[in-house]
Amino acid sequence: MALQVDVFWSFRSPYSYLATTRIAEIAARYDVDMRIRPVYPLAVRVDGFFDRQDPRWLMYLGRDCYRTAQMLGMTFGPPRPDPIVMNLATREIPREQPYIRRLTHLGQAACEAGRGIPFICEVARIIWDGQTDGWDRGDHLARATARAGLDLPTLDAVVAAEGERLEAEVQASHAALDAAGHWGVPTFVFEGEPFFGQDRIDVLLWRLRQHGLAEKPAV
């Protein structure tokens, strides 16, 4: 029986984006169920999140993301537009968040359709790779969804018809992340043990090997 890992992941998190390649590689190589659980970013989940951060944090975050992307052979750049709506002058985060709500609900619907990993890989790329201006406009999102093996109008129809249920699933993931003992993303949880950050994937693999992690048979 495949081992199961819950992957708490956000479309607003650059580190979640930087983890996508390895998440996909692990799922393809090993007999493990990498269960994607989309959540909202801390900026939305926690009131006044940015007010609690050291002013130097954002500068360090940007530097670290750029160099980590270089190390991983991935392109990286600030999202255009930002998936969260924010007043940059006051750091106020409005309650209405159309971008991240839609993305998170689409991600949940994609997971339920069995295409969670390819969906987060393709959509995170157009948001974070620095190559796409206006990922929310034109056919960028539709093409990314198609590359993931899904149809955007079909997913949007699910979101429109089942928004409350999808939101409940997202909130359940928030509760499960909290119960596992962490708050950030990406966080990988295996048998109740959290592994926070894309730089803890090797530690996660070490733990999985202790529990008999096996490679999939060659096709």
Side-chain angles (χ1 to χ4, degrees):
M1 184 175 180
L3 302 177
Q4 180 173 299
V5 176
D6 282 350
V7 182
F8 297 94
W9 193 97
S10 169
F11 287 98
R12 178 53 176 76
S13 162
Y15 288 118
S16 287
Y17 160 64
L18 293 171
T20 52
T21 298
R22 294 204 68 191
I23 291 171
E25 289 174 347
I26 290 169
R29 179 177 177 181
Y30 296 102
D31 187 22
V32 58
D33 178 12
M34 301 291 281
R35 183 187 178 203
I36 307 299
R37 301 189 67 168
V39 297
Y40 293 124
L42 280 169
V44 173
R45 281 186 280 139
V46 179
D47 289 340
F49 171 76
F50 283 108
D51 294 334
R52 305 178 188 184
Q53 307 307 312
D54 188 294
R56 298 167 292 185
W57 174 69
L58 282 176
M59 184 177 295
Y60 176 80
L61 177 70
R63 173 179 291 179
D64 188 53
C65 287
Y66 274 107
R67 70 184 175 199
T68 300
Q70 289 177 328
M71 181 185 72
L72 296 172
M74 301 172 69
T75 56
F76 178 82
R80 305 189 299 272
D82 193 320
I84 63 169
V85 178
M86 176 180 177
N87 185 318
L88 295 179
T90 65
R91 295 187 175 185
E92 180 184 359
I93 308 291
R95 186 168 298 277
E96 292 298 320
Q97 291 290 330
Y99 297 140
I100 195 62
R101 181 180 174 87
R102 182 190 182 201
L103 287 169
T104 306
H105 284 194
L106 286 172
Q108 179 64 36
C111 290
E112 294 176 5
R115 303 297 293 172
I117 291 177
F119 185 80
I120 66 167
C121 288
E122 294 296 342
V123 173
R125 184 177 298 116
I126 65 170
I127 295 172
W128 287 104
D129 70 358
Q131 310 298 309
T132 306
D133 189 13
W135 58 263
D136 61 317
R137 299 189 296 274
D139 64 351
H140 295 303
L141 192 54
R143 290 169 61 190
T145 303
R147 290 193 296 270
L150 295 168
D151 176 67
L152 183 58
T154 300
L155 283 187
D156 274 330
V158 172
V159 169
E162 304 181 40
E164 290 187 7
R165 183 188 64 77
L166 294 171
E167 180 66 15
E169 292 295 333
V170 173
Q171 295 301 325
S173 291
H174 291 170
L177 175 58
D178 183 66
H182 216 281
W183 52 91
V185 291
T187 290
F188 307 85
V189 178
F190 172 65
E191 295 195 347
E193 183 178 12
F195 301 79
F196 167 60
Q198 58 84 27
D199 56 347
R200 289 296 179 267
I201 292 178
D202 286 335
V203 182
L204 169 66
L205 287 172
W206 167 77
R207 178 66 82 207
L208 292 173
R209 291 186 180 105
Q210 291 181 325
H211 288 260
L213 179 66
E215 293 194 9
K216 291 180 178 177
V219 178

